[in-house]
Amino acid sequence: YKDSLYINKEIFPFGTSMDSTIIDGTGLGYYTIEIQAKTYIKNFTICGKGFNVGWGICCYQPLNISFCKISNCGAGISTIDVPCNMDNVIILNSGWGFDGGCFSDTCNYFISNSIILVDSPDSRGINTSIGGNYFINNNILIYYGSSNPDNGIDVGWPKRIEIKNNLVAGFTVGIFFDTVEDSAFVDNNIAAFTKTN
């Protein structure tokens, strides 16, 4: 489907598989999918506007996404003060993989079993902003470009964060902490081939 979507009613779009059900937003809107109602997306490939431009998915309401591939965008998934459950998702050819934040501190973000491959200047794998509770487990985050990336997992100012069993490679810093309001748990991660000593 050569299209960009605006979702304003609660729906559960299920594709046949990420290889055969494709939403291609190449050259179209800034958001390939803009979400304004609770949504569950499964088994899709989502192509953004273009390399390092726009968002694959921009969420203003809760999102559950699984078994999807997102490519060719500035950010794969961006959430605006809403929770997200992301499981078995591949994000590639993007500036940032996941970007989230929750000013009310009530949002939970579960990012698990996913692969994020980024390759543009200032790339980040996972970015956390102010607020929210993050559970980042069992992921592979790799920067494979030739210029200067940012951080693999960039912890801005969440309320609580758990980072376990992740492989983070090729970034300037594997896991970077600014401030944590409540508590942080970092366990059994590998940060390899970082650009700093």
Side-chain angles (χ1 to χ4, degrees):
Y1 305 97
K2 181 78 172 175
D3 207 350
S4 56
L5 304 179
Y6 177 83
I7 298 173
N8 61 1
K9 292 184 179 178
E10 184 173 341
I11 61 171
F12 301 89
F14 285 15
T16 305
S17 74
M18 72 170 70
D19 295 323
S20 61
T21 311
I22 300 169
I23 301 170
D24 185 0
T26 304
L28 299 177
Y30 199 69
Y31 312 127
T32 298
I33 300 178
E34 181 178 350
I35 294 174
Q36 294 283 358
K38 185 178 179 181
T39 304
Y40 184 8
I41 299 173
K42 186 175 182 179
N43 297 335
F44 281 90
T45 285
I46 299 158
C47 299
K49 181 172 183 170
F51 176 69
N52 216 22
V53 179
W55 282 307
I57 299 176
C58 184
C59 307
Y60 296 92
Q61 292 296 325
L63 172 67
N64 282 283
I65 181 169
S66 61
F67 298 99
C68 288
K69 180 168 67 175
I70 303 170
S71 65
N72 298 323
C73 43
I77 298 175
S78 181
T79 66
I80 313 296
D81 211 28
V82 293
C84 179
N85 188 343
M86 171 179 149
D87 183 50
N88 284 288
V89 173
I90 300 169
I91 298 174
L92 64 155
N93 296 330
S94 298
W96 288 18
F98 177 90
D99 181 36
C102 184
F103 293 102
S104 64
D105 279 341
T106 58
C107 303
N108 291 325
Y109 299 93
F110 297 92
I111 304 167
S112 58
N113 307 311
S114 295
I115 299 172
I116 298 174
L117 307 172
V118 291
D119 61 347
S120 66
D122 303 317
S123 281
R124 291 183 184 180
I126 296 172
N127 182 68
T128 76
S129 299
I130 295 174
N133 304 294
Y134 290 82
F135 303 88
I136 302 170
N137 301 317
N138 305 315
N139 302 287
I140 298 172
L141 293 79
I142 297 176
Y143 174 79
Y144 63 95
S146 57
S147 56
N148 296 318
D150 207 318
N151 304 315
I153 299 174
D154 192 281
V155 179
W157 196 323
K159 181 178 180 181
R160 181 181 185 277
I161 191 162
E162 174 185 295
I163 304 172
K164 293 184 178 180
N165 304 322
N166 299 283
L167 169 63
V168 185
F171 293 90
T172 298
V173 176
I175 301 172
F176 173 82
F177 276 85
D178 185 355
T179 303
V180 177
E181 183 179 334
D182 186 341
S183 54
F185 302 90
V186 180
D187 184 36
N188 200 39
N189 299 281
I190 297 174
F193 304 105
T194 57
K195 307 294 184 184
T196 57
N197 294 327

